[in-house]
Amino acid sequence: ACGAIKGAIDQVQLGNLTGLLAKIRPAVDATAYTGERTAKNYDFVDAVARKNVELTLADIRRRSPTIAGLEGKGTIKLAGAMYNLESAVVDFLPTAPAR
């Protein structure tokens, strides 16, 4: 139900928020989905949000060799999660192995 994800899907231009939405856009493009690819489709919005978490974790690892190294040694662990606005439940996503 994330408005930013929906805005990125719809390619909304919102002044200063346009830059933030542009950072989410790669997740829209990278989401494999065969149904209706619109912000009105809850399942697609959820799939894009999950892909955005996955891409963000990969970006953190890529941009910070220190964090990636600590994760590779098992000193720290990066975890992606989704917060459900309706149920207030945090769903931790499966983590990809550090590379």
Side-chain angles (χ1 to χ4, degrees):
C2 178
I5 297 292
K6 289 179 180 181
I9 290 169
D10 287 344
Q11 299 184 39
V12 172
Q13 302 291 310
L14 290 172
N16 292 334
L17 291 177
T18 301
L20 170 66
L21 299 179
K23 291 180 180 185
I24 298 170
R25 187 73 200 163
V28 177
D29 298 334
T31 299
Y33 192 83
T34 57
E36 179 186 358
R37 295 176 62 91
T38 70
K40 293 179 182 177
N41 181 346
Y42 176 85
D43 291 334
F44 180 61
V45 172
D46 187 65
V48 171
R50 289 173 185 275
K51 178 57 77 172
N52 189 57
V53 171
E54 177 187 326
L55 293 178
T56 299
L57 287 172
D59 189 50
I60 291 168
R61 291 178 180 114
R62 180 186 59 77
R63 293 178 63 194
S64 178
T66 300
I67 290 175
L70 291 170
E71 186 182 31
K73 292 178 187 176
T75 305
I76 64 167
K77 183 172 184 169
L78 297 180
M82 298 280 294
Y83 176 74
N84 185 306
L85 294 170
E86 293 176 9
S87 67
V89 170
V90 176
D91 178 26
F92 286 91
L93 305 179
T95 55
R99 295 178 193 163

